[in-house]
Amino acid sequence: MKNKREEDNMVSEGSGSVLKRQRVNEQSSASGTGNPLVPYNDVDDEEDDFEREKTNNGGGGGGGAGGSNTQAVAAENGEEEEEEEEEEEDEYRQGDILESRKSQFEPREDCPYLDTVNRQVLDFDFEKFCSVSLSNLNVYACLVCGKYYQGRGKKSHAYTHSLEAGHHVYINLRTEKVYCLPDGYEIIDPSLDDIRHVLYPRFTRDQVGHLDKNRQWSRALDGSDYLPGMVGLNNIKETDFVNVTIQSLMRVTPLRNFFLIPENYQHCKSPLVQRFGELTRKIWHARNFKGQVSPHEFLQAVMKVSKKRFRIGQQSDPVEFMAWLLNTLHANLRTSKKNNSIIYECFQGELEVIKETPNRAITEKKQNADDQNSDQRITDGRTKHDIFMETSRMQFLMLGLDLPPPPLFKDVMEKNIIPQVPLFNILKKFDGDTVTEVVRPRVARMKYRVTKLPRYLILHMQRFKKNNFFIEKNPTLVNFPVKNLELKDFIPLPMPKENERLRSKYDLIADIVHDGKPNEGLYRVFVQRKSEELWYEMQDLHVSETLPQMVALSEAYVQIYEQQQ
């Protein structure tokens, strides 16, 4: 009896262990998450036990074994149903998570933090670099404090700033999209469009065409009024030579219109061209938050492209800077097929140059012949064969005018007399007959004649001369007309074509002036506003209206004249 009970207990325990192991295997295979279990031969052992029990009990225990099988099948069916329910719950749970994530990053129009945006502190004139990592990749501007931070992910500087400072609204400085951090969703709100316009000003071709007719003033956030196109430029540190050059070039209408529309130069990847275009759009933008512009990014591009020839903190000559800027812009904008650009269309003229140089070989032979034959003397010291004449044509972007030397002696009042000279007298350098002595690179006699007049004529008076010890400044005043400068009365001009008329009248549009000593002086500029034909004096941030008579009394250094059409 005892043996039979022990066998029955062993059979029941064995069947229970088999069911447990089957459940584990089914759960692991159903879940698919754990490692596959090691297979056991429990099924074979269970069959052997059943056969043994049948032989011992004479078939009486068969009903118990069949009952255990039906129970196992029922248990398996119940577990399968439970597993299906769990899988459905998991699917619903994953769907809820996906829906919550999707709703979390969907654009929203009801951001509760829009009232924290502070437009007073926003300044997009500075370089687009992260204030922490100094990287220019994926930079965002905080619209609450105005600082620049990189990234938007959970480990980024912008995300950290949003948690530490509680500032939640950020704009991408490249895509102009606005996001709420740390939530991460995009904000869609038309009230932020004014910030986008300040970040990247936009002009239509119709707006560009009506700029010179606009007499309307604009108002900044601080309540001050300013004129679009007549805004002051911030002097970073001794960068007034850049400011007067930019303000002068802004009066050249075709050049300004070209750079106001970025599609005109989108093929050009030069940072100087792109920054010059951005600065042009900011100067002429009518929806600025403030009445001045800081040319930070443009100056950085100038320092990089010029290899620090022109840099912040070092005073330079606006004539050299203007010549370098125009030539560099032309080199970057010209196409491969034609050597032409908007720079050449505005400023390029043509000169005929006659160069007379002494022929060294002939003069040396002549000297030897004179030593041998002292009877053959030349009274003038030279003949036609002694001089080598070369005629050539050259393009120019600006013309340099020589000023007469100032008097060495003082008058009876012990004061230096400041001489005056008419502009027409110093323009005779280009009449084709006046000889200009040149020492470098070789001694030569030069004659110049204008063969093609540009649409915009740039004249610069050579006031500064460098000797062996220091730089001298010539204080001679040049008397020039503000309007109707007629060139054909003083210099010979080429005859126009059959269907064209001679355009030789010019009007002054910009006048750069130098005040003070050669190494310590400051530059300011007089510019004309075409919509009202009024003159303004601009020195860095200071912009004030002035009279045309005051323009004519200044020590002119660089002048830009516009051809009358």
Side-chain angles (χ1 to χ4, degrees):
M1 294 291 293
K2 287 182 180 180
N3 294 333
K4 286 183 179 180
R5 289 174 183 171
E6 289 176 358
E7 288 177 359
D8 293 339
N9 292 336
M10 289 174 63
V11 169
S12 62
E13 289 176 1
S15 60
S17 64
V18 169
L19 290 174
K20 289 180 182 178
R21 288 172 184 170
Q22 285 179 352
R23 288 176 189 169
V24 171
N25 290 333
E26 289 172 358
Q27 289 177 357
S28 63
S29 62
S31 63
T33 56
N35 294 326
L37 297 176
V38 179
Y40 291 95
N41 294 327
D42 293 340
V43 179
D44 298 335
D45 295 340
E46 188 179 10
E47 290 177 355
D48 293 341
D49 291 337
F50 288 159
E51 292 293 334
R52 211 177 287 122
E53 189 175 359
K54 284 180 183 179
T55 55
N56 292 332
N57 296 332
S68 64
N69 287 334
T70 55
Q71 290 176 0
V73 170
E76 288 176 0
N77 293 332
E79 288 172 0
E80 288 177 358
E81 292 176 358
E82 290 178 0
E83 288 172 0
E84 289 178 359
E85 291 177 357
E86 289 178 358
E87 288 178 358
E88 290 178 359
E89 290 178 358
D90 291 340
E91 289 178 359
Y92 287 134
R93 199 177 297 116
Q94 291 176 358
D96 293 340
I97 293 173
L98 291 175
E99 287 180 3
S100 63
R101 286 181 180 174
K102 191 175 180 182
S103 63
Q104 182 180 2
F105 293 105
E106 278 184 352
R108 290 175 54 181
E109 299 179 0
D110 56 346
C111 179
Y113 302 110
L114 284 180
D115 58 341
T116 63
V117 175
N118 186 6
R119 289 170 172 79
Q120 300 283 351
V121 299
L122 298 182
D123 188 358
F124 300 119
D125 293 341
F126 293 97
E127 301 164 277
K128 310 296 191 293
F129 283 92
C130 173
S131 59
V132 179
S133 64
L134 299 180
S135 172
N136 62 347
L137 300 176
N138 199 22
V139 180
Y140 291 77
C142 175
L143 297 184
V144 183
C145 64
K147 295 181 180 179
Y148 295 169
Y149 293 98
Q150 186 182 16
R152 192 159 49 92
K154 290 188 176 182
K155 295 183 180 180
S156 64
H157 300 296
Y159 189 91
T160 305
H161 178 71
S162 68
L163 295 176
E164 290 180 349
H167 299 168
H168 301 288
V169 188
Y170 296 81
I171 185 171
N172 190 305
L173 296 179
R174 187 178 61 86
T175 64
E176 303 179 26
K177 293 184 178 180
V178 182
Y179 295 92
C180 178
L181 296 181
D183 298 339
Y185 59 84
E186 183 183 354
I187 303 172
I188 305 296
D189 196 288
S191 66
L192 301 172
D193 289 342
D194 61 336
I195 298 177
R196 294 188 178 96
H197 276 279
V198 173
L199 177 60
Y200 288 110
R202 299 166 178 83
F203 289 88
T204 63
R205 296 190 182 273
D206 186 50
Q207 290 175 338
V208 170
H210 290 83
L211 275 180
D212 288 334
K213 301 176 183 177
N214 179 30
R215 300 188 178 187
Q216 188 176 3
W217 290 63
S218 297
R219 175 160 293 184
L221 285 179
D222 57 357
S224 61
D225 295 329
Y226 71 92
L227 284 168
M230 295 289 170
V231 297
L233 293 178
N234 192 14
N235 189 343
I236 310 301
K237 188 180 179 183
E238 297 183 6
T239 56
D240 51 341
F241 71 97
V242 175
N243 294 347
V244 296
T245 303
I246 296 300
Q247 297 285 17
S248 302
L249 294 178
M250 289 300 104
R251 312 309 130 197
V252 180
T253 305
L255 184 70
R256 177 202 67 189
N257 295 349
F258 177 85
F259 280 100
L260 283 179
I261 301 177
E263 287 78 14
N264 292 332
Y265 50 92
Q266 60 183 359
H267 67 280
C268 182
K269 304 300 181 183
S270 169
L272 185 69
V273 173
Q274 299 297 331
R275 299 293 91 79
F276 186 79
E278 290 178 9
L279 183 59
T280 304
R281 294 195 296 274
K282 288 178 180 179
I283 290 175
W284 286 94
H285 190 45
R287 298 167 63 179
N288 286 331
F289 287 164
K290 56 188 188 307
Q292 68 268 355
V293 177
S294 296
H296 271 277
E297 290 188 289
F298 176 72
L299 285 169
Q300 294 294 332
V302 167
M303 291 173 59
K304 182 178 180 180
V305 177
S306 68
K307 298 179 181 179
K308 295 190 176 181
R309 177 184 172 188
F310 306 101
R311 60 176 183 266
I312 300 173
Q314 180 178 344
Q315 184 72 274
S316 296
D317 192 347
V319 173
E320 295 180 6
F321 177 71
M322 185 180 291
W324 173 86
L325 179 63
L326 294 179
N327 283 295
T328 308
L329 290 177
H330 165 72
N332 292 326
L333 288 172
R334 66 182 177 184
T335 57
S336 57
K337 296 180 181 179
K338 295 181 180 180
N339 188 22
N340 195 17
S341 67
I342 188 66
I343 305 297
Y344 275 15
E345 291 176 8
C346 293
F347 302 107
Q348 189 185 47
E350 190 180 66
L351 282 178
E352 182 186 72
V353 182
I354 300 175
K355 184 178 181 181
E356 299 178 357
T357 55
N359 195 328
R360 291 183 177 178
I362 295 178
T363 51
E364 288 177 358
K365 290 181 180 178
K366 185 72 65 178
Q367 289 177 358
N368 295 333
D370 290 342
D371 294 339
Q372 294 175 1
N373 305 320
S374 57
D375 296 335
Q376 299 177 358
R377 294 288 182 184
I378 300 174
T379 56
D380 192 14
R382 58 183 179 178
T383 63
K384 293 182 180 179
H385 300 288
D386 295 339
I387 300 173
F388 179 73
M389 295 182 63
E390 181 183 1
T391 303
S392 60
R393 297 207 172 194
M394 59 181 293
Q395 276 74 31
F396 69 89
L397 295 179
M398 59 177 67
L399 295 177
L401 303 178
D402 299 323
L403 296 178
L408 297 176
F409 304 102
K410 297 180 180 181
D411 60 358
V412 293
M413 303 298 292
E414 294 296 325
K415 291 182 180 179
N416 283 328
I417 301 173
I418 299 178
Q420 299 185 22
V421 58
L423 177 63
F424 308 110
N425 288 1
I426 56 179
L427 275 174
K428 288 181 179 179
K429 174 182 178 180
F430 301 100
D431 62 0
D433 296 327
T434 304
V435 175
T436 304
E437 299 285 346
V438 178
V439 179
R440 294 177 182 175
R442 289 180 60 185
V443 177
R445 292 162 55 89
M446 312 288 286
K447 295 179 182 179
Y448 304 100
R449 186 173 67 88
V450 177
T451 56
K452 178 188 173 184
L453 286 173
R455 188 173 177 184
Y456 288 86
L457 180 64
I458 303 178
L459 303 177
H460 76 92
M461 291 67 177
Q462 298 176 354
R463 292 193 175 275
F464 301 104
K465 288 189 177 180
K466 187 175 182 181
N467 56 27
N468 295 331
F469 305 100
F470 53 86
I471 298 176
E472 294 179 291
K473 179 184 176 182
N474 192 331
T476 303
L477 292 179
V478 179
N479 300 324
F480 55 88
V482 176
K483 293 184 74 70
N484 298 323
L485 171 65
E486 183 60 87
L487 293 180
K488 70 177 181 180
D489 296 339
F490 303 95
I491 58 176
L493 296 175
M495 295 300 296
K497 297 180 181 179
E498 294 180 359
N499 299 328
E500 296 180 359
R501 65 183 182 87
L502 181 62
R503 294 187 177 93
S504 59
K505 274 191 177 183
Y506 285 83
D507 295 332
L508 183 69
I509 58 174
D511 182 27
I512 297 177
V513 178
H514 180 266
D515 298 323
K517 297 180 180 179
N519 296 323
E520 303 173 3
L522 299 174
Y523 292 99
R524 55 192 173 95
V525 61
F526 294 97
V527 297
Q528 186 192 38
R529 190 184 183 205
K530 288 188 177 181
S531 60
E532 300 171 341
E533 293 191 355
L534 297 177
W535 282 89
Y536 289 85
E537 179 184 352
M538 311 178 78
Q539 183 174 0
D540 298 332
L541 294 176
H542 303 288
V543 181
S544 59
E545 188 179 342
T546 186
L547 296 173
Q549 292 84 352
M550 299 301 297
V551 181
L553 293 176
S554 59
E555 294 183 7
Y557 186 43
V558 182
Q559 294 180 330
I560 301 180
Y561 287 88
E562 182 182 21
Q563 193 178 54
Q564 292 184 3
Q565 297 300 318

